[in-house]
Amino acid sequence: MPKHDPRKNADLIVTTLGRETEFYGRLSFSESLKIEGKFDGEIDSTGFLYIDQGAEVKASLVKAASVIIGGIVRGNIEAADKVEMLPSARVYGDVKTAKLRISDGVIFEGRCEMIRSPLQFNPFTAPSPQH
């Protein structure tokens, strides 16, 4: 059975923040975004987010339909469909999603809340209550 390669979706990436890019603020997009550089702020998307190896994201909250992480994320993640952490991923925050894949070698410091189905969870509505 062939090994899963999330980069096969690279042709689906609409926008890329390159390695030399530093972005501060609020990102909102509906299709797909690949972050290769540094981002600090909030991400609120109905699309697909790919955080590449070497990228650094510091966010109060990352909301997207699906998130694939190869870099460093400091902040909570909410994904209606799935979160995938590649071997190079470092995640420091809580994750709420329907499907989760954590590869060998990942550093994950936080809590995980699994939702039964994407239909039962809409991260684009009111914020989750804090525990």
Side-chain angles (χ1 to χ4, degrees):
M1 188 164 143
K3 199 173 186 181
H4 175 73
D5 184 5
R7 289 168 289 190
K8 70 182 178 186
N9 293 329
D11 57 334
L12 303 175
I13 301 293
V14 174
T15 305
T16 299
L17 296 178
R19 295 227 180 268
E20 302 301 317
T21 303
E22 290 187 24
F23 188 90
Y24 303 90
R26 185 172 187 272
L27 276 174
S28 182
F29 54 95
S30 59
E31 292 193 31
S32 60
L33 173 70
K34 180 178 182 181
I35 298 175
E36 297 176 344
K38 294 182 180 182
F39 173 79
D40 189 344
E42 182 181 333
I43 297 173
D44 188 2
S45 169
T46 56
F48 165 73
L49 175 63
Y50 183 88
I51 300 167
D52 203 9
Q53 183 174 353
E56 294 182 31
V57 172
K58 181 180 176 186
S60 52
L61 183 60
V62 174
K63 287 184 183 181
S66 295
V67 181
I68 296 179
I69 306 162
I72 299 170
V73 176
R74 295 179 194 282
N76 297 334
I77 301 167
E78 293 183 4
D81 184 35
K82 73 174 181 175
V83 172
E84 182 171 352
M85 299 178 199
L86 304 177
S88 57
R90 307 291 178 258
V91 177
Y92 306 96
D94 297 339
V95 173
K96 184 174 184 178
T97 187
K99 294 179 259 180
L100 177 66
R101 175 179 284 176
I102 301 177
S103 300
D104 289 345
V106 167
I107 293 175
F108 174 39
E109 294 181 10
R111 296 179 311 149
C112 180
E113 181 181 343
M114 300 302 294
I115 54 175
R116 290 187 182 170
S117 118
L119 300 175
Q120 295 176 322
F121 171 60
N122 184 351
F124 312 109
T125 59
S128 301
Q130 297 298 317
H131 295 20

